[in-house]
Amino acid sequence: MTARIGVVTFPGSLDDRDTQRAIRLAGAEPVALWHKDKDLKQVDAVVLPGGFSYGDYLRAGAISRFSPVMDTVIEQAKAGLPVLGICNGFQVLTEAHLLPGAMLGNDHLHFICRDQKLRVENAETAWTGDYRQGQEIHIPLKNMDGRYVADSYTLDKLEAEGRVVFRYLDFNPNGSLGDIAGVTNEAGNVVGLMPHPEHAVEPLIGTGRTDGLPFFTSILKKLVNA
């Protein structure tokens, strides 16, 4: 049976269709989920895509966190459902307290769009099993509020527990503390990152590489072998 991965569309989501395509290329079935519906349609995993949900008013992700669909996502994520938050989706996950820390405006106060070099720090989450720890990859990045921050206790805890999943290399594009580009929860089923792996799944788009495809093949293998 084909794994079914839901992709939530909020008002202002930009990359939901791209994410659905990446899921399809990996061999799974993408399932469109609407933000006003609590029903996750019995999907095996969920992706919160990038964009500017609700125009990023108040704070990025702050309003989306209260969408009806998030009640179910939060409940099921705590029960083990794999959830990936990409860019704005990462912001939503921090606002929902499924991931620690917070996202603030870039330290240079400008929107940034570039191909970004990352190092894989944790290849044991539900979404990173097809990477190698220490592997260097290139993933497109585009954000205005991408600066990851947390108090010193949380940062030390993340580092000690190996919960920093990705780290910026060569250039910190937004002032994120510890060069952190992505983190995971304690169970490893919830992952958030600012770069956009769905834009690096085919040679003709994004970076011209397929470094983002392992996100989607990783979760597929995880679900098939579960």
Side-chain angles (χ1 to χ4, degrees):
M1 186 172 63
T2 303
R4 303 173 75 248
I5 302 178
V7 180
V8 178
T9 297
F10 299 98
S13 293
L14 301 178
D15 302 299
D16 43 349
R17 296 296 182 90
D18 303 72
T19 303
Q20 291 176 25
R21 179 172 176 78
I23 290 168
R24 192 175 295 111
L25 286 172
E29 177 188 351
V31 178
L33 301 175
W34 184 237
H35 72 110
K36 285 189 176 181
D37 298 331
K38 288 192 174 185
D39 182 10
L40 297 186
K41 301 180 181 179
Q42 297 182 318
V43 296
D44 303 298
V46 168
V47 180
L48 306 181
F52 300 91
S53 60
Y54 290 93
D56 279 350
Y57 294 122
L58 298 183
R59 288 185 310 277
I63 301 177
S64 295
R65 174 262 177 272
F66 293 102
S67 291
V69 72
M70 286 305 299
D71 291 339
T72 313
V73 169
I74 292 169
E75 178 185 357
Q76 294 199 21
K78 290 179 178 178
L81 180 75
V83 178
L84 175 66
I86 302 171
C87 195
N88 190 236
F90 185 14
Q91 295 160 342
V92 175
L93 290 176
T94 60
E95 291 288 339
H97 303 297
L98 285 174
L99 291 176
M103 311 302 302
L104 299 180
N106 298 342
D107 59 351
H108 45 72
L109 303 181
H110 295 285
F111 181 85
I112 188 167
C113 182
R114 56 171 278 137
D115 291 342
Q116 180 64 48
K117 188 176 181 180
L118 305 174
R119 182 172 62 238
V120 180
E121 303 283 31
N122 184 338
E124 297 181 359
T125 77
W127 298 91
T128 57
D130 272 357
Y131 292 108
R132 303 183 314 274
Q133 184 172 346
Q135 182 177 349
E136 297 181 1
I137 61 176
H138 291 78
I139 301 290
L141 174 83
K142 49 177 185 175
N143 63 70
M144 180 68 187
D145 300 288
R147 178 163 52 110
Y148 182 79
V149 298
D151 59 77
S152 58
Y153 172 81
T154 299
L155 290 172
D156 290 344
K157 185 177 175 67
L158 290 172
E159 298 287 359
E161 296 179 355
R163 291 169 53 196
V164 175
V165 183
F166 296 96
R167 209 179 300 271
Y168 298 117
L169 288 184
D170 297 342
F171 172 74
N172 186 326
N174 42 41
S176 290
L177 298 180
D179 299 326
I180 293 173
V183 300
T184 185
N185 65 341
E186 292 182 4
N189 63 303
V190 180
V191 171
L193 79 161
M194 287 310 297
H196 286 260
E198 77 280 8
H199 294 328
V201 295
E202 296 179 284
L204 293 179
I205 61 171
T207 60
R209 303 158 63 124
T210 58
D211 291 1
L213 192 59
F215 275 88
F216 307 100
T217 58
S218 293
I219 189 58
L220 180 58
K221 290 179 181 178
K222 176 75 172 179
L223 294 171
V224 169
N225 295 326

